[in-house]
Amino acid sequence: MDEISLIEEEQEESDKPPSIRPRPARSWRVAVIANVKGETPLPFDGPEDAGAEFDRKETIQAILSAIQSDGHQAIFLSADDNLPFALRDVQPDICFNISEGLSGDAREAQVPALLELFRIPYTASRVLANAIALDKTMTKRIWRDHGLPIAEFQEFVSGCEPVSPVLKYPLFVKPSREGTGMGMDSQSIVGNEKQLRRRVNWVIQKYHQPALVEEYLPGREFTIGVLGRIDAASYSPHPGYYREDGFHRFPVLEVDNTQTVTPGVYGHAAKSLAWDEAGVPGFICPADVDPVLAQSLQDLALQAHLTIGALDVSRSDFRLDAQGQPRLLEINSLPGLTPGFSDLCVMANAEGITYQDLILEILYLGASRFDLLQPAHIPEFSPVRVAAFEAPLGRSNHIWYKPE
Ligand SMILES: Nc1ncnc2c1ncn2[C@@H]1O[C@H](COP(=O)(O)OP(=O)(O)OP(=O)(O)O)[C@@H](O)[C@H]1O
Ligand SMILES: [Mg+2]
């Protein structure tokens, strides 16, 4: 008997109204998997800012507390090469994954790949989307293929490639596979080929990866988070968060870079400052933007999420071009979750979603992909199997609901 028949039978037998909350069958043992600043060993051949994306202990403690507040057991596991053994010891029901990975061209996909190998449920995006999102060039190729607005770009692998005649100075040079502003400061903006070659070679040598060169986008900077899935409302403790299409769009957050340590660029130096330190950017949420622009940014963030196959949560960064049109910069499939500081937490806070609720939404969305909880109610939709989201990890097939 499949899950739906079971639930239907349960409802027929009972006079009780259907639950308005999704129900975990029991409390879960949740492993929060992360790399910790100052604790996770760094690769010996990495750049000096390797580990910049790692989380602070306080962030992990906040996630553990949020999960425990819902009655679950929560255990921290370090995302290092001892993880396979720790997973075998702990036997988690589900992992809350925020790990950055340690090395390689798809480091943010390392832990999801391991969890798939062990058939352990986990939250947020799966292997391919995490690998794509880390690689800004691959992401842009996919977005270009889907007609999403991006700046013109070229990837330099050796540094000797002829510069594409399509690119017009000033240009912006960055590592193709890093985050947290690594390798980005005012020197990233180059005005001629001599500066371009120097910066491209610096990126390739320092970060051991291709350099991505884009047209410089001079306009305002925004970031927008997306949470949900087509059936999110059925599995959420807060179904009201989600629109009919199953997605929540967070309010637009503007990053004001005009007065920062690296003026005009939200680079690593600016991202390393505490919110009350001098030189930190301004964060305005909801941003003071025309409602048409706000809607367009939110729609683009959702398209950016869907086209790379991201799951449940992501945050996309934008800049306006010289004509005031939004251009997608990149997507974060594992957006930072530092309470009160990370962009996604600031957006949630701006509309009254508590940190605890944000963490539990991500956890419940993940758990629902692995049949760890029953939906709150059976919507009056016919169940359809959405091939693109076939049941992960060989567990019983998961039903997705879609209006007829
Ligand atoms: N083409 C561009 N034109 C102008 N500024 C840019 C461009 N690309 C990046 N920047 C600046 O550099 C910052 C960092 O770029 P980007 O978002 O690609 O890197 P990141 O390190 O992956 O960011 P995150 O910390 O969000 O993961 C942007 O927020 C923006 O200020
Ligand atoms: Mg960014």
Side-chain angles (χ1 to χ4, degrees):
M1 192 180 290
D2 65 19
E3 182 188 335
I4 297 304
S5 318
L6 269 172
I7 295 164
E8 279 169 351
E9 193 179 78
E10 190 183 283
Q11 282 169 351
E12 273 164 24
E13 281 174 4
S14 161
D15 291 338
K16 280 191 256 169
S19 168
I20 53 160
R21 264 181 72 96
R23 291 163 294 172
R26 57 183 169 82
S27 67
W28 303 314
R29 181 179 301 164
V30 185
V32 176
I33 305 185
N35 300 102
V36 188
K37 272 193 205 301
E39 288 193 2
T40 305
L42 292 169
F44 69 92
D45 56 349
E48 82 269 355
D49 51 0
E53 296 200 272
F54 291 0
D55 283 284
R56 289 204 298 257
K57 273 185 182 169
E58 294 77 14
T59 301
I60 291 149
Q61 189 50 56
I63 296 173
L64 292 170
S65 302
I67 294 169
Q68 285 159 350
S69 74
D70 197 48
H72 307 288
Q73 193 185 348
I75 303 148
F76 164 65
L77 296 183
S78 177
D80 55 31
D81 56 12
N82 191 50
L83 183 61
F85 310 104
L87 285 167
R88 287 215 192 273
D89 288 346
V90 169
Q91 303 265 323
D93 295 304
I94 183 166
C95 297
F96 194 102
N97 176 42
I98 57 163
S99 56
E100 301 291 344
L102 292 182
S103 59
D105 61 356
R107 58 183 164 75
E108 289 190 5
Q110 277 176 340
V111 167
L114 185 70
L115 297 173
E116 302 258 355
L117 178 70
F118 286 166
R119 296 179 169 270
I120 300 174
Y122 61 98
T123 55
S125 287
R126 297 180 65 190
V127 179
L128 187 59
N130 278 319
I132 292 169
L134 183 67
D135 190 315
K136 292 175 183 158
T137 313
M138 286 298 173
T139 300
K140 291 182 69 142
R141 287 180 181 142
I142 291 171
W143 286 342
R144 181 176 59 190
D145 189 46
H146 283 84
L148 299 184
I150 52 169
E152 294 288 354
F153 69 98
Q154 181 180 3
E155 187 174 70
F156 289 77
V157 179
S158 70
C160 303
E161 296 91 338
V163 181
S164 162
V166 172
L167 295 178
K168 304 278 176 267
Y169 293 99
L171 297 171
F172 194 93
V173 186
K174 55 185 165 185
S176 55
R177 305 181 200 124
E178 298 296 348
T180 319
M182 288 166 68
M184 279 172 264
D185 55 34
S186 311
Q187 309 266 324
S188 306
I189 305 165
V190 296
N192 54 49
E193 185 165 347
K194 194 172 163 207
Q195 290 173 2
L196 171 86
R197 296 274 176 210
R198 197 183 311 132
R199 190 68 178 184
V200 162
N201 287 326
W202 178 82
V203 165
I204 294 172
Q205 279 168 23
K206 181 166 175 182
Y207 291 96
H208 307 294
Q209 62 187 269
L212 172 60
V213 176
E214 298 176 344
E215 281 186 347
Y216 175 69
L217 298 165
R220 293 165 72 184
E221 178 158 339
F222 304 103
T223 182
I224 293 104
V226 163
L227 183 73
R229 231 174 33 214
I230 188 172
D231 60 347
S234 296
Y235 292 101
S236 164
H238 297 93
Y241 288 169
Y242 301 94
R243 288 204 202 158
E244 263 194 349
D245 62 7
F247 287 93
H248 178 74
R249 289 90 163 147
F250 286 93
V252 176
L253 189 159
E254 178 164 13
V255 183
D256 178 4
N257 288 301
T258 43
Q259 311 284 326
T260 72
V261 273
T262 48
V265 179
Y266 189 18
H268 180 50
K271 290 186 189 223
S272 312
L273 297 171
W275 64 270
D276 53 353
E277 277 184 274
V280 79
F283 298 102
I284 305 125
C285 189
D288 183 14
V289 285
D290 183 279
V292 177
L293 175 60
Q295 163 120 30
S296 147
L297 289 165
Q298 288 175 324
D299 289 347
L300 287 170
L302 180 53
Q303 291 303 315
H305 174 98
L306 294 172
T307 49
I308 68 145
L311 273 181
D312 299 353
V313 64
S314 71
R315 202 200 81 230
S316 293
D317 296 342
F318 295 81
R319 272 211 169 197
L320 301 186
D321 64 16
Q323 287 71 45
Q325 294 303 312
R327 305 265 165 190
L328 277 158
L329 284 180
E330 56 129 7
I331 182 165
N332 299 281
S333 53
L334 294 171
L337 290 171
T338 303
F341 183 74
S342 292
D343 296 337
L344 198 73
C345 302
V346 173
M347 293 171 201
N349 192 38
E351 56 179 353
I353 297 179
T354 65
Y355 186 76
Q356 180 186 321
D357 287 338
L358 176 63
I359 298 298
L360 292 177
E361 287 301 309
I362 297 170
L363 179 64
Y364 272 57
L365 285 168
S368 69
R369 306 204 309 253
F370 302 93
D371 295 342
L372 289 175
L373 76 166
Q374 289 183 343
H377 61 282
I378 305 288
E380 288 175 5
F381 297 150
S382 58
V384 292
R385 287 178 199 282
V386 179
F389 296 110
E390 87 262 6
L393 310 189
R395 281 164 187 259
S396 62
N397 270 347
H398 180 79
I399 305 288
W400 290 75
Y401 296 97
K402 203 173 162 193
E404 276 188 315

